[in-house]
Amino acid sequence: MAALNPPPCDFGWKAPDFDLPSTGGRGHTLKSVAGPRGLLLMFLCNHCPYVKTALPRILEAARELQALGLGVAAISSNDPAAYPEDSFDKMALLAEREKFPFPYLYDAAQEVARAYGAVCTPDFFGFNAALELQYRGRIDDAGMNPATPKTRHELLEAMRSIAATGKGPQEQWPSIGCSIKWRDGY
């Protein structure tokens, strides 16, 4: 398991549209998941130890951000043939068990991950109300460790700023995680 870091934030980059099925049984587009103040779009998966460790913090942040008028959605793009734990059925089980407060979308063709330039899980994209990228960074400084009272919650701070001002912080640290598991031939 090699940890990968995504590239820095390309401020102002416009979010590409998509139409993906969710574990909740309906399809979602970029417009349907965006909130009036912006969107947090996360590339997650079930098996990654970085995601597993951060998941309680992700869920807590999502609930707070939704209350601020931000939309929140997660996308899994991993190849379930190579990683069966990332199958659509297991995604649905995880979302139900953990009571995801956001849609968990399945990118079977891996086209959305490519369009966004997603690199790892977790990979966070924070957009303002105009769906311009303002944050491309990590959730916090805890990494694969549990959060402590001294943990700086960078994603939450950035998204609060985006909700309030439309702008993300200039200083951002890249997310770290497992590589997206691409299908053979990619």
Side-chain angles (χ1 to χ4, degrees), residues 38-67:
L39 170 66
L40 171 61
L41 191 62
M42 308 170 282
F43 286 84
L44 305 179
C45 72
N46 290 13
H47 88 274
C48 173
Y50 290 91
V51 173
K52 287 180 177 181
T53 301
L55 192 57
R57 301 188 311 268
I58 291 169
L59 297 173
E60 184 178 331
R63 289 180 182 98
E64 179 177 328
L65 296 175
Q66 288 169 324

Side-chain angles (χ1 to χ4, degrees), residues 2-181:
L4 295 179
N5 291 321
C9 183
D10 182 7
F11 287 95
W13 179 76
K14 294 290 279 186
D17 199 8
F18 55 79
D19 188 353
L20 296 172
S22 76
T23 59
R26 59 177 258 219
H28 287 277
T29 63
L30 177 66
K31 185 178 179 181
S32 75
V33 297
R37 293 197 162 166
L39 170 66
L40 171 61
L41 191 62
M42 308 170 282
F43 286 84
L44 305 179
C45 72
N46 290 13
H47 88 274
C48 173
Y50 290 91
V51 173
K52 287 180 177 181
T53 301
L55 192 57
R57 301 188 311 268
I58 291 169
L59 297 173
E60 184 178 331
R63 289 180 182 98
E64 179 177 328
L65 296 175
Q66 288 169 324
L68 296 176
L70 292 160
V72 178
I75 298 174
S76 179
S77 300
N78 277 358
D79 177 9
Y83 290 83
E85 190 176 342
D86 293 335
S87 72
F88 185 77
D89 290 342
K90 295 208 174 158
M91 288 171 55
L93 290 172
L94 177 67
E96 184 177 333
R97 183 180 73 237
E98 298 296 329
K99 298 178 178 39
F100 280 18
F102 49 79
Y104 194 16
L105 310 174
Y106 183 48
D107 179 20
Q110 301 182 315
E111 293 170 354
V112 177
R114 289 186 194 294
Y116 278 78
V119 173
C120 63
T121 58
D123 204 350
F124 300 98
F125 294 77
F127 296 94
N128 62 19
L131 296 175
E132 299 165 332
L133 188 65
Q134 295 295 311
Y135 187 74
R136 175 95 189 259
R138 63 189 182 185
I139 187 168
D140 55 37
D141 61 6
M144 280 196 11
N145 300 310
T148 69
K150 293 183 179 185
T151 298
R152 182 168 175 223
H153 300 280
E154 295 151 5
L155 174 69
L156 200 50
E157 292 170 12
M159 295 307 296
R160 285 176 185 147
S161 175
I162 292 167
T165 69
K167 303 258 184 222
Q170 290 300 306
E171 186 175 44
Q172 300 180 12
W173 293 268
S175 188
I176 186 169
C178 301
S179 66
I180 295 210
K181 308 308 182 208

